Amino acid sequence: SQKVHEIKNCCDLGLFLRTMNKPLLKRDYLQMQGYLSIFGKESGEIHYCLTEYTDETIQEQKDIIMTEMCPDGVVTEKFEQYWYYVERKLRYSDMPVKERVFTHLVHKDDEIIKNIHQRVEDARDWLHDYARFHEKVIENRYLDAKKIRI
């Protein structure tokens, strides 16, 4: 492939719709820049996909609502009506696939990638310094009984 392709799944219709009409999030842009650097590509696409919740999650939600609304275990008409409403918010198969996917194109930015590489180096240096500091703290934590004067 000439591009890096990243897929981001979303199960929440409201969040998906809000994301669709906004500029690309900075974190997603920077993440794609990292991928472009790693794979040596000039551009990438981030595909946002509205996906249904898993059958297990849907069944779990149904069980929770059933326990709350029908503590005696007998399904009521009120429960069935409410569950119909809730389940429609968890499944999106009635929506055309083209309406459940949108894409942002990202081009490689060498300056951003250079800054990312520098930040990684700075983080490694900080972690190295922290590890050395921590080792000294541990060494000084325990006293040698022979060095204690009473």
Side-chain angles (χ1 to χ4, degrees):
S1 176
Q2 297 298 317
K3 296 179 184 174
V4 173
H5 293 272
E6 180 181 8
I7 297 172
K8 295 200 176 285
N9 293 321
C10 179
C11 295
D12 183 313
L13 179 60
L15 178 62
F16 178 79
L17 293 173
R18 285 190 302 276
T19 304
M20 179 186 291
N21 296 317
K22 291 193 175 179
L24 185 61
L25 292 172
K26 182 177 180 180
R27 69 168 189 236
D28 294 345
Y29 176 79
L30 293 174
Q31 185 177 30
M32 179 55 77
Q33 291 299 326
Y35 292 150
L36 294 174
S37 173
I38 290 168
F39 295 111
K41 304 292 183 179
E42 293 299 315
S43 64
E45 292 181 347
I46 302 175
H47 308 281
Y48 292 86
C49 304
L50 179 63
T51 57
E52 294 185 348
Y53 286 89
T54 64
D55 289 337
E56 293 82 15
T57 299
I58 292 171
Q59 184 61 48
E60 183 180 284
Q61 291 303 305
K62 186 175 184 179
D63 293 344
I64 290 168
I65 294 169
M66 174 78 174
T67 300
E68 185 68 29
M69 293 182 73
C70 308
D72 58 357
V74 178
V75 175
T76 64
E77 185 177 331
K78 185 177 180 181
F79 167 78
E80 287 180 341
Q81 289 173 348
Y82 185 70
W83 178 246
Y84 176 77
Y85 169 78
V86 170
E87 187 174 23
R88 290 191 56 179
K89 294 187 172 290
L90 303 174
R91 298 190 190 274
Y92 308 110
S93 56
D94 60 325
M95 291 177 66
V97 173
K98 288 183 179 184
E99 292 179 16
R100 294 170 40 191
V101 176
F102 70 93
T103 300
H104 281 285
L105 177 64
V106 178
H107 294 284
K108 184 177 178 183
D109 183 329
D110 290 322
E111 191 63 32
I112 294 285
I113 290 171
K114 180 180 170 187
N115 290 339
I116 291 171
H117 284 278
Q118 186 59 53
R119 289 181 80 172
V120 168
E121 290 299 320
D122 292 346
R124 287 178 180 156
D125 291 344
W126 183 89
L127 284 171
H128 178 73
D129 292 346
Y130 179 79
R132 286 197 342 229
F133 170 77
H134 185 67
E135 287 172 5
K136 287 183 180 186
V137 168
I138 296 300
E139 286 174 14
N140 294 329
R141 198 170 180 188
Y142 301 101
L143 299 174
D144 185 349
K146 296 175 188 173
K147 295 181 179 179
I148 299 175
R149 294 188 355 216
I150 301 180

